[in-house]
């Protein structure tokens, strides 16, 4: 079992930067792949970014490539999402998730989820 707790969300202005954190507890963090997803009301959960267990490989959704960066600190059992040049289209609830599968972009293969943190970007 893996427990995940996100933090760092809030209200920011367009063009600002924001860093989300996800603290993990439970099974060995260094052996699990991590992902960030986001969702707004009435829309499907969207893949934002994923990173493998060692941190050597990452992947991004098309809408955030070049603006967001995922990283992890296995010594702190924490994964981060650095968001830059945010726009109102980035407004969503952001979820941290964990999986042992390598196909990071598919939300259906993530069995462990955090409760989400709200990010609101004003224009």
């Amino acid at each position: 079992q893996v427990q995940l707790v996100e933090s760092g969300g809030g209200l920011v202005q367009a063009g600002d930067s924001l860093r989300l954190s996800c603290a993990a507890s439970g099974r060995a963090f260094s052996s699990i792949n991590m992902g960030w997803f986001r969702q707004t009301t009435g829309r499907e959960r969207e893949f934002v970014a994923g990173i493998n267990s060692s941190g050597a490989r990452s992947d991004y959704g098309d809408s955030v490539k070049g603006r967001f960066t995922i990283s992890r600190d296995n010594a702190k059992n924490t994964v981060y999402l650095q968001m830059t040049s945010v726009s109102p289209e980035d407004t969503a609830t952001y979820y941290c998730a964990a999986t042992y599968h390598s196909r990071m972009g598919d939300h259906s293969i993530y069995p462990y989820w955090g409760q989400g943190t709200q990010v609101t970007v004003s224009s």
Side-chain angles (χ1 to χ4, degrees), residues 36-113:
W36 285 98
F37 292 80
R38 65 187 183 185
Q39 189 169 25
T40 56
T41 303
R43 299 186 66 177
E44 285 197 10
R45 197 159 290 192
E46 177 190 6
F47 172 69
V48 176
I51 189 167
N52 74 336
S53 58
S54 69
R57 182 171 65 91
S58 59
D59 193 16
Y60 296 90
D62 289 341
S63 61
V64 306
K65 282 181 180 176
R67 300 188 300 122
F68 292 9
T69 303
I70 189 170
S71 62
R72 65 190 294 160
D73 186 338
N74 285 349
K76 295 182 178 180
N77 284 11
T78 302
V79 63
Y80 305 97
L81 183 68
Q82 180 67 49
M83 306 166 62
T84 63
S85 301
V86 297
S87 72
E89 288 68 37
D90 295 316
T91 295
T93 301
Y94 284 73
Y95 296 91
C96 172
T99 182
Y100 291 101
H101 291 275
S102 60
R103 195 171 71 252
M104 291 187 286
D106 182 355
H107 67 82
S108 69
I109 54 89
Y110 285 80
Y112 307 110
W113 291 86

Side-chain angles (χ1 to χ4, degrees), residues 6 17 22 29 34 44 94:
E6 302 97 334
S17 298
C22 173
F29 181 72
M34 300 296 297
E44 285 197 10
Y94 284 73

